[in-house]
């Protein structure tokens, strides 16, 4: 209910809402969902363990390590053949959603779950080739599962599709098994931490393996679609494209690096990514327009929830409360004027700093966008996910020219079947072309 969340947003800091939150819990619903969709039986310690590991390795100094891993893997997938002279002049044509999802998913997977090991018998280049091939095969299977996901989550898959989903799960449990991951290089400390924590807690190995797929879907199921929308909005708004590209070129120059034919690849640091406020705003605007999570809570006790306008709702123990910030906050014209338009500088102040002051009915709102959820259930990997988006856009704008085949083609509608599961996906793809800038 739109009005429900609007009132909720206004009363978030009040004591009565604090008391209400004690009677609402996200874990019960989440446990039910991951068992149905991933075959994983959750434990009480899952949430705290995941948050602790994410705080260590997906933000702060740990994020610096992940940024370097993501850079190396993105460059392997996007730029491994840049020295070919034909690549300098030939336009390549592909489908935009398929391209973005493919590259970002594969680079994220390799950064988290490691690379093919190489030694005196296997050259580094051969190992990189195997990374490209193996991650491509994994992505193809992931997309099959991803397309089944909404109906699987709602429990309405027909028997034939249900059997297909089960076979896909078994494929991922094999690829991501604890034993197979032990043979890979550069596995992220995040993944190692989670594995060790569960092992020390006495969780069986087959259940740890299932959790590995839960983490893959949770970490990589939304960044690829988000990268599609970001590139599409930039191509449809030339001023935004120009401003972001100039900012990225400037960041490279200030780092003392240069992109030139035959020159070394740019070493993208987290420090460079922190100097891109225009790109930050474009990313946040993209998520405002396309991220639509459903925040579901189980009601633990009978309760009366009082709204700021005086209305009251009686909620029974055993009920579920679902909040949908996409329509109630992110599309609210009072908080975000002209909410359906992409405004790349919406989250910038006139002086170029990040804008965080948004108002409704004269009152400053704390949550003006909620792409990552909120409170205790807020996505613990949001900093890594944002970095993934920015790094992909950074490399695309730095190394390539790209454009829609049909510049006048309308922006696709969203696939409404995916409402509530994160970043929305388009109901159709668009053709684009790209080539090296230099």
């Amino acid at each position: 209910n739109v009005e429900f969340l609007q009132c909720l947003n206004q009363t978030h800091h009040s004591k009565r809402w604090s008391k209400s939150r004690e009677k609402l819990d996200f874990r019960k619903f989440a446990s039910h969902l991951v068992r149905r969709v991933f075959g994983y039986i959750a434990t009480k310690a899952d949430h705290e363990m995941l948050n602790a590991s994410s705080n260590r390795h997906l933000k702060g100094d740990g994020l610096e390590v992940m940024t370097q891993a993501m850079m190396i893997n993105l460059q392997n997938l996007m730029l491994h053949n840049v020295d070919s002279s034909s690549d300098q002049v030939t336009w390549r044509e592909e489908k935009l959603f398929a391209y973005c999802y493919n590259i970002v998913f594969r680079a994220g997977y390799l950064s988290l779950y490691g690379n093919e090991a190489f030694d005196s018998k296997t050259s580094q280049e051969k190992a990189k080739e195997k990374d490209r091939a193996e991650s491509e095969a994994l992505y193809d299977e992931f997309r099959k599962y991803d397309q089944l996901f909404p109906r699987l989550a709602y429990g309405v898959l027909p028997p034939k599709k249900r059997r297909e989903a089960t076979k896909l799960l078994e494929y991922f449990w094999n690829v991501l098994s604890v034993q197979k991951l032990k043979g890979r290089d550069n596995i992220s400390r995040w993944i190692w931490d989670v594995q060790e924590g569960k092992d020390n807690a006495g969780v069986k190995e087959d259940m740890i393996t299932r959790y590995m797929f839960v983490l893959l879907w949770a970490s990589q199921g939304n960044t690829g679609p988000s990268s599609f929308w970001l590139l599409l909005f930039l191509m449809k708004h030339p001023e935004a494209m120009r401003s972001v590209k100039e900012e990225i070129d400037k960041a490279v120059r200030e780092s003392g690096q240069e992109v030139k034919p035959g020159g070394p690849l740019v070493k993208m640091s987290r420090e460079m990514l922190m100097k891109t406020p225009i790109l930050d705003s474009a990313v946040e605007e993209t998520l405002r327009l396309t991220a639509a999570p459903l925040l579901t809570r189980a009601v633990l006790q009978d309760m009366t929830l009082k709204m700021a306008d005086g209305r009251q709702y009686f909620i029974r123990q055993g009920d579920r409360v679902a909040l949908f910030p996409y329509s109630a906050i992110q599309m609210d014209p009072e908080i975000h004027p002209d909410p359906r338009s992409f405004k790349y500088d919406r989250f910038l102040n006139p002086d170029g700093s990040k804008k965080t002051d948004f108002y409704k009915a004269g009152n400053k709102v704390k949550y003006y966008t909620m792409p990552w959820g909120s409170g205790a259930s807020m996505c613990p990997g949001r900093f890594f996910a944002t970095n993934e988006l920015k790094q992909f856009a950074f490399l695309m704008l730095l190394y390539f020219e790209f454009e829609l085949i049909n510049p006048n083609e309308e922006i696709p509608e969203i696939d409404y079947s995916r409402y509530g599961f994160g970043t929305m996906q388009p109901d159709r793809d668009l053709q684009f072309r790209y080539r090296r800038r230099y």
Side-chain angles (χ1 to χ4, degrees), residues 12 121 130 195 201 416 424:
H12 185 82
K121 295 181 181 179
K130 194 164 183 180
Q195 283 192 0
Y416 292 102
M424 294 179 288

Side-chain angles (χ1 to χ4, degrees), residues 68 71 75 255 257 264-269 272 399:
Q68 295 305 309
M71 178 195 71
Q75 288 177 339
S255 73
Q257 301 181 80
L265 296 178
V266 168
K267 293 182 179 180
M268 191 193 322
S269 66
M272 291 168 66
Y399 282 100

Side-chain angles (χ1 to χ4, degrees), residues 374-412:
S374 69
S377 64
M378 184 175 289
C379 173
R382 60 193 180 277
F383 302 106
F384 174 59
T386 301
N387 257 29
E388 286 184 293
L389 271 175
K390 291 180 64 177
Q391 286 178 277
F392 173 68
F394 201 108
L395 288 178
M396 283 297 295
L397 289 163
L398 190 62
Y399 282 100
F400 298 101
E401 296 174 357
F402 53 95
E403 61 190 24
L404 294 172
I405 296 298
N406 177 6
N408 298 319
E409 185 172 2
E410 297 268 337
I411 292 176

Side-chain angles (χ1 to χ4, degrees), residues 265-279:
L265 296 178
V266 168
K267 293 182 179 180
M268 191 193 322
S269 66
R270 181 167 170 249
E271 183 181 359
M272 291 168 66
L273 292 174
M274 294 174 69
K275 296 179 178 179
T276 55
I278 300 175
L279 176 57

Side-chain angles (χ1 to χ4, degrees), residues 284-346:
E284 193 156 5
E285 176 72 340
T286 297
L287 295 177
R288 182 189 69 81
L289 285 165
T290 63
L294 191 66
L295 312 183
T296 305
R297 301 290 185 269
V299 181
L300 304 181
Q301 303 174 38
D302 289 354
M303 58 179 287
T304 299
L305 196 59
K306 297 179 180 180
M307 299 295 140
D309 62 3
R311 286 179 297 170
Q312 299 184 28
Y313 292 86
F314 176 71
I315 307 172
R316 301 161 301 181
Q317 179 182 351
D319 283 346
R320 289 178 185 165
V321 176
L323 312 179
F324 193 51
Y326 177 75
S327 58
I329 295 177
Q330 293 166 206
M331 290 292 125
D332 187 331
E334 190 172 352
I335 299 173
H336 303 288
D338 193 12
R340 299 198 175 275
S341 296
F342 175 83
K343 298 181 179 181
Y344 76 97
D345 56 355
R346 190 186 294 272

Side-chain angles (χ1 to χ4, degrees), residues 7 30 48 69 97 103 107 127 177 239 263 296 330 357:
C7 292
E48 288 74 18
F97 180 80
I103 294 293
S177 70
E239 181 185 349
T296 305
Q330 293 166 206
D357 293 346

Side-chain angles (χ1 to χ4, degrees), residues 128 220 430:
K128 288 183 176 181
Q220 299 307 308
L430 302 89

